[in-house]
Amino acid sequence: MAEPLKEARVVVREDECKGCGLCIAACPEEVLFEQKHLNRMGYHPAGYKGSGCSGCGYCFYQCPEPGAITVYKKGYVEEEAA
Amino acid sequence: MANALIKADSFYELYERKSGIQDVTHYCPGCGHGVLHKLIAEAIDDFGIRERTILISPVGCSVFAYYYFRVGNIQAAHGRAPAVSTGIKRVHPESIVISYQGDGDLAAIGGNHIIQAANRGENITVFFVNNAIYGMTGGQMAPTTLAGQKTTTSPYGRNVNSEGYPLKVCELLSSLEAPVYIERVALTDPKNTTKVRRAVRKALQNQIDNKGFSLVEVLSVCPSNWKMTPVQSKQWLVDNMIPQFPLGVFRDKTAEIPNRETIRNTFDQSGVREKLEIPANEKQVQYSLQPKMDFANPKLVIAGFGGQGVLILGLGIAQAAMQAGYNVSWLPSYGPEMRGGTANCNVNISRERVGSPLVTKPTVLIAMNLPSLEKFDSKVEANGLIIYDTSLINKQPTRQDVHVLGIPATQMADELGNTRIANMVILGAFIAYTAVLNKEVVFDALPNFIKRKNLLPLNESAIIRGMEYVLNKVTN
Ligand SMILES: Cc1ncc(C[n+]2csc(CCOP(=O)(O)OP(=O)(O)O)c2C)c(N)n1
Ligand code: SF4
Ligand SMILES: [Mg+2]
């Protein structure tokens, strides 16, 4: 069994991000930002600063893409890899 | 999934709409449709209803919702999702039916459909995405376009004196008696989005509990056609849409209405015959029939001029086949004229269940005029049969790989004193050639589709003439 997460974490799948910026605008902790580089669709994807996510999930529910953002809250236990 | 917000299982992993990039939707950056999709998919997961959910996609930007949701899917004609939902829900009352619609779809072309479905109190869930514009077609004015809003078809801004006022669907529908739950919410900031999430879940829960009609209107951004960034468009929605479309609950009878069991309405046949004055002919005759191999479960197209009786011919064949114990269907298609014009019908006769009444590849074509022969000739299945009236058609069928039976039916009918029984001559020829039916069952069925009883003997002799023609031809 993996350890429960000590700190919340947000993961942006850059390939699936259309750079709309809604997650960045909604993040109360201001830990999301627009990246300089372009992804395969030609958008500037959102990125995570690497720390400070509170796990509120605001970005998840602002993001229109089903798989672009995942939020792991504090205490999350990674499921056993099959 | 505790403690994590992850892509819902009710989404497909890959969307197989196009080759190439298959893990992102077709929606524009920032579009509200995607967010609502996520909230719906999450609720379907959480309620454990994926296996019984049927989503009706509309015409509009969300036309491809069926590529995303891993549920049962049907895509309806523009504005018709409430009607399609009604049919599905009534046939499958245990399913969870979602009518997903845009504002052009629901409030313009489908305006009447949603009113009628709401008024009937259908036990369905409607998610109504109001982005005040026709998104898919490039930003035309919708019934919900705001007063003063510029669109491609209201370039000076919507003028309420000539284009009317934005249509308020929640207000309109909440004047009806039947709806259980109607709420308008907005996909803006996290706080409002939480309300959308709650409304989505409530509207689905109501259906699970069999409470009746629920509709959630979701104010939603269309950055592309509003010509703004996604972030600006959210602010525009707050500043401009919400004042004209106030948020809130317009109807909520959820608490008053008890949860109900799922009821399946089954049709009770008793008494129907008497009501429709259909003679009780249940003598349960066993007809011994041995159809020729190629015609075991025939699919027929019967075509000719209006007035030649091609529809009655099809009806007669179907009626007799039904009395002989086959499963049958009869699907007429005709123009507005009573005489002249063209008419045709599709008939299925089968020992198996009949899936669709449509016949696209007939095994038997009955052509009573030249245009019908030319139109359907190429569609007949190999080893099938073409029967055609040689008194009116001076060409032969071009097909070499089918049985062909030419019969001067109209002339034979004329000799019997009435050209209008050519169809019955053909009926006789059909049964003699294929043995799908025999004379006994056809004669037993005759009074059920020939209304004028004094004409029965004439029809019978026409049928016999048709049979004799084939039998003589075969023996000669
Ligand atoms: C019968 C018919 N009429 C018109 C159209 C053209 N058409 C396609 S989508 C659409 C309107 C879509 O607007 P809306 O329902 O608001 O959906 P949105 O794209 O904004 O989500 C129209 C008029 C059509 N496809 N079919
Ligand atoms: S045109 Fe508007 S409604 Fe359609 S996908 Fe783009 S943003 Fe969404
Ligand atoms: Mg629209």
Side-chain angles (χ1 to χ4, degrees):
Chain A
M1 270 294 253
E3 285 285 290
L5 277 189
K6 293 212 176 60
E7 199 187 306
R9 186 158 56 91
V10 53
V11 175
V12 179
R13 283 222 181 89
E14 291 187 15
D15 270 355
E16 298 181 29
C17 176
K18 291 174 182 162
C20 71
L22 292 173
C23 58
I24 300 170
C27 176
E29 311 298 334
E30 301 184 14
V31 293
L32 293 171
F33 69 105
E34 184 184 301
Q35 304 202 66
K36 289 256 174 326
H37 67 270
L38 298 173
N39 67 7
R40 59 178 177 168
M41 295 182 283
Y43 297 118
H44 292 289
Y48 176 41
K49 288 181 179 166
S51 64
C53 171
S54 68
C56 69
Y58 284 8
C59 57
F60 180 84
Y61 289 112
Q62 289 290 306
C63 173
E65 275 305 313
I69 291 187
T70 312
V71 176
Y72 301 98
K73 301 186 183 189
K74 193 175 155 184
Y76 173 77
V77 182
E78 191 108 21
E79 276 167 46
E80 297 281 308
Chain B
M1 289 301 141
N3 267 345
L5 298 167
I6 296 179
K7 178 173 173 178
D9 277 341
S10 295
F11 284 122
Y12 289 112
E13 246 155 82
L14 293 179
Y15 318 129
E16 297 184 344
R17 187 168 83 87
K18 285 187 171 171
S19 54
I21 296 178
Q22 294 194 322
D23 48 7
V24 293
T25 64
H26 72 292
Y27 294 115
C28 303
C31 174
H33 279 300
V35 180
L36 183 60
H37 281 22
K38 279 169 79 170
L39 296 173
I40 295 170
E42 182 194 57
I44 293 173
D45 276 13
D46 292 351
F47 293 164
I49 53 174
R50 193 177 85 198
E51 292 303 320
R52 59 185 178 120
T53 296
I54 300 176
L55 181 96
I56 317 300
S57 316
V59 170
C61 281
S62 45
V63 64
F64 293 136
Y66 54 85
Y67 281 108
Y68 308 133
F69 286 92
R70 195 202 297 268
V71 299
N73 288 284
I74 289 182
Q75 195 276 317
H78 209 5
R80 272 56 181 174
V84 174
S85 301
T86 298
I88 291 172
K89 185 68 186 184
R90 289 192 177 202
V91 174
H92 297 293
E94 66 292 336
S95 64
I96 300 299
V97 179
I98 299 175
S99 183
Y100 188 109
Q101 303 182 259
D103 48 336
D105 188 84
L106 180 142
I109 192 166
N112 184 42
H113 284 276
I114 192 63
I115 293 173
Q116 304 300 340
N119 193 43
R120 291 191 303 267
E122 296 297 338
N123 185 27
I124 59 173
T125 304
V126 182
F127 295 123
F128 166 40
V129 177
N130 178 358
N131 53 15
I133 208 150
Y134 290 179
M136 184 201 210
T137 43
Q140 294 82 0
M141 185 178 71
T144 45
T145 291
L146 303 182
Q149 184 183 341
K150 287 184 181 166
T151 68
T152 57
T153 48
S154 58
Y156 304 109
R158 180 179 189 158
N159 177 349
V160 294
N161 293 322
S162 51
E163 283 98 57
Y165 292 83
L167 199 80
K168 296 184 179 178
V169 168
C170 289
E171 286 82 341
L172 199 70
L173 295 183
S174 59
S175 73
L176 301 173
E177 206 58 38
V180 170
Y181 169 55
I182 299 175
E183 180 166 2
R184 183 182 291 124
V185 288
L187 280 170
T188 56
D189 59 357
K191 189 161 159 245
N192 269 333
T193 304
T194 306
K195 289 189 184 161
V196 182
R197 184 171 179 271
R198 206 181 304 144
V200 164
R201 298 167 88 87
K202 179 164 176 161
L204 285 171
Q205 187 65 51
N206 281 350
Q207 186 178 168
I208 293 168
D209 296 338
N210 291 312
K211 293 199 183 217
F213 184 89
S214 297
L215 178 142
V216 180
E217 175 173 344
V218 181
L219 303 186
S220 174
V221 298
C222 176
S224 301
N225 287 301
W226 294 359
K227 308 199 187 333
M228 297 171 205
T229 68
V231 175
Q232 287 166 342
S233 65
K234 290 238 170 174
Q235 193 58 47
W236 189 88
L237 193 162
V238 172
D239 295 343
N240 299 280
M241 274 188 93
I242 294 179
Q244 294 194 35
F245 289 110
L247 305 184
V249 176
F250 291 83
R251 167 68 56 85
D252 191 359
K253 296 199 284 193
T254 307
E256 295 161 39
I257 297 178
N259 295 6
R260 287 186 266 232
E261 294 294 307
T262 304
I263 303 162
R264 181 177 277 279
N265 288 312
T266 44
F267 178 63
D268 179 9
Q269 293 184 31
S270 58
V272 170
R273 273 187 169 271
E274 297 75 58
K275 280 271 178 299
L276 295 177
E277 296 173 13
I278 297 172
N281 72 332
E282 293 309 309
K283 40 177 176 153
Q284 278 310 330
V285 193
Q286 292 291 329
Y287 302 95
S288 65
L289 297 169
Q290 266 139 5
K292 307 252 171 67
M293 270 305 282
D294 289 346
F295 313 116
N297 292 312
K299 296 165 179 291
L300 291 87
V301 168
I302 305 170
F305 292 123
Q308 279 186 309
V310 297
L311 301 187
I312 279 288
L313 173 55
L315 193 64
I317 291 174
Q319 174 73 40
M322 186 172 72
Q323 289 182 216
Y326 290 98
N327 294 310
V328 303
S329 69
W330 172 72
L331 186 71
S333 154
Y334 44 86
E337 314 88 337
M338 286 296 284
R339 300 276 178 270
T342 56
N344 71 71
C345 62
N346 293 178
V347 175
N348 279 283
I349 299 177
S350 184
R351 293 288 176 202
E352 315 292 322
R353 292 180 71 171
V354 176
S356 161
L358 277 180
V359 177
T360 45
K361 289 186 180 164
T363 46
V364 178
L365 168 65
I366 295 176
M368 294 190 62
N369 66 4
L370 183 59
S372 300
L373 182 64
E374 289 175 338
K375 182 167 176 195
F376 296 109
D377 171 294
S378 64
K379 303 205 163 66
V380 178
E381 290 271 24
N383 302 321
L385 167 65
I386 296 178
I387 302 179
Y388 70 110
D389 186 344
T390 51
S391 31
L392 300 181
I393 304 174
N394 51 11
K395 264 187 176 172
Q396 291 208 347
T398 54
R399 296 283 296 273
Q400 302 297 321
D401 57 342
V402 297
H403 305 251
V404 172
L405 171 63
I407 173 168
T410 303
Q411 197 179 337
M412 289 163 66
D414 201 23
E415 284 160 20
L416 285 167
N418 189 339
T419 52
R420 292 188 43 207
I421 50 167
N423 58 350
M424 293 298 119
V425 175
I426 294 212
L427 174 51
F430 167 72
I431 64 172
Y433 199 93
T434 63
V436 171
L437 298 167
N438 60 19
K439 194 174 85 179
E440 288 67 47
V441 65
V442 170
F443 279 21
D444 282 349
L446 211 52
N448 292 332
F449 63 93
I450 301 293
K451 292 276 154 355
R452 307 226 326 249
K453 301 298 167 240
N454 58 333
L455 291 180
L456 287 176
L458 182 62
N459 279 274
E460 286 177 1
S461 38
I463 291 167
I464 291 171
R465 282 294 303 277
M467 294 182 73
E468 284 169 356
Y469 183 87
V470 171
L471 298 175
N472 291 337
K473 218 175 172 172
V474 171
T475 43
N476 290 345

